[in-house]
Amino acid sequence: MSKIRLNSLGLRKFLPWSSSLTRLFHFRSYHKQETEVFGIPFLNLTGISGKDPRGLYYNQIADYGFGFVLTGPFSERSGKSELKSAISEILKNKPKTRIGAILSNAAHFDEEMIGKDFLASFSMLYDFVDFFLVEMFSTNPDSIEEIIDELVSLRLCYEEYKPVVIKLPKGILDEDADAVLANARISGIDGIAAYGPDQAGRLVSLTQGRLPIIGISESADPEEGKRILDGGASLIMYESLSPRAARKAAKSLLKGREKS
């Protein structure tokens, strides 16, 4: 998300009528297409992953009618102050939609440090978000599986259950994705996020719909989103788009589903 767009969202935070006005213009009947995934009820099945590393703008983005907003990415080692900022913001401003935290390992190369970073971020944010999206940049299935096992083990320490979704890296080979998927189903991971209709549809087919798949769309073309959902994905997440472009794509998609 560009600095200009972030500044625009930041300005809206200080205008008391801005949220109501945005919702008046953008919320319509087709936004209410309630669905339940991971045991969580969502307003609808569209979401957006914004580059919001301090967790400041989730409500301004939610005003456009998304069923969930991913905030972050967060890394305890490279951005502990950002983690604290996001927690403080959530405590002050109750989320208007479902909030997911993106955990990222982009700042590390050492696998041991990556695992420790994920666990630290996970622990700090656990009580404040609805679910986690764990970004994997390594295509090594053994490395991914080790992190999955550690996160699931740590989750047992908490009374409330929070879903964990693994985001597969771009370009992962089909056989490596299959290995991660097999481990995810055994370990208790709640879902997989995958790029595009082809990879998402393939994973839906392999799991026979028993494991929720979040399809990632990097295109504002509503036809791509339609293909992702027609392939069996449980949710669609718009990534690398401005809130305005993602809103436009989600609007066309939801209106089409309301009519069908």
Side-chain angles (χ1 to χ4, degrees):
M1 205 179 299
S2 74
K3 188 173 182 179
I4 293 175
R5 295 185 185 117
L6 287 176
N7 288 339
S8 174
L9 292 172
L11 179 63
R12 284 176 47 200
K13 287 171 69 73
F14 298 101
L15 301 175
W17 43 264
S18 176
S19 178
S20 297
L21 193 62
T22 301
R23 293 174 78 85
L24 178 66
F25 274 104
H26 295 295
F27 255 88
R28 296 293 182 268
S29 63
Y30 52 78
H31 284 111
K32 194 170 183 180
Q33 297 182 26
E34 295 177 355
T35 186
E36 185 173 305
V37 185
F38 326 123
I40 297 175
F42 291 87
L43 174 68
N44 60 58
L45 38 66
T46 68
I48 180 171
S49 173
K51 296 299 182 183
D52 182 14
R54 300 186 69 86
L56 296 176
Y57 308 112
Y58 52 84
N59 276 339
Q60 285 67 43
I61 297 172
D63 285 337
Y64 288 119
F66 294 103
F68 61 98
V69 175
L70 274 298
T71 188
F74 299 110
S75 170
E76 189 272 342
R77 186 180 181 191
S78 63
K80 198 165 186 175
S81 64
E82 294 174 345
L83 278 162
K84 290 180 177 179
S85 169
I87 292 168
S88 175
E89 186 71 18
I90 291 169
L91 287 171
K92 287 189 298 184
N93 298 296
K94 182 180 178 181
K96 300 174 183 177
T97 191
R98 295 298 180 183
I99 296 295
I102 305 171
L103 304 186
S104 174
N105 64 11
H108 302 291
F109 297 98
D110 181 87
E111 291 190 4
E112 183 178 351
M113 291 306 302
I114 288 170
K116 289 180 178 179
D117 194 329
F118 274 138
L119 294 174
S121 302
F122 186 77
S123 298
M124 289 182 68
L125 289 162
Y126 195 89
D127 293 326
F128 305 101
V129 298
D130 295 301
F131 66 100
F132 291 89
L133 181 77
V134 186
E135 284 190 327
M136 296 295 179
F137 291 90
S138 170
T139 58
N140 178 357
D142 292 334
S143 174
I144 297 174
E145 290 165 14
E146 184 176 344
I147 291 169
I148 288 174
D149 292 341
E150 290 177 345
L151 287 172
V152 171
S153 296
L154 179 58
R155 183 171 59 182
L156 295 174
C157 299
Y158 295 89
E159 185 174 342
E160 188 176 359
Y161 187 94
K162 299 290 179 74
V164 177
V165 178
I166 296 298
K167 178 185 170 187
L168 296 180
K170 278 185 179 181
I172 189 171
L173 298 175
D174 286 347
E175 55 265 33
D176 290 337
D178 294 351
V180 172
L181 180 62
N183 177 264
R185 297 177 70 182
I186 294 170
S187 66
I189 285 296
D190 300 275
I192 301 285
Y195 283 93
D198 293 336
Q199 189 181 67
R202 182 173 177 278
L203 295 178
V204 170
S205 179
L206 287 173
T207 61
Q208 298 181 336
R210 294 191 181 97
L211 185 72
I213 304 298
I214 299 179
I216 304 170
S217 175
E218 297 181 288
S219 169
D221 181 0
E223 285 302 311
E224 179 171 286
K226 184 176 185 300
R227 286 175 58 206
I228 287 173
L229 293 176
D230 287 348
S234 301
L235 299 168
I236 180 168
M237 178 177 78
Y238 292 99
E239 186 178 83
S240 304
L241 297 177
S242 69
R244 180 175 294 180
R247 169 185 56 83
K248 186 176 180 180
K251 175 182 176 181
S252 297
L253 180 65
L254 292 172
K255 284 181 73 174
R257 291 177 67 85
E258 184 185 49
K259 293 176 183 177
S260 61

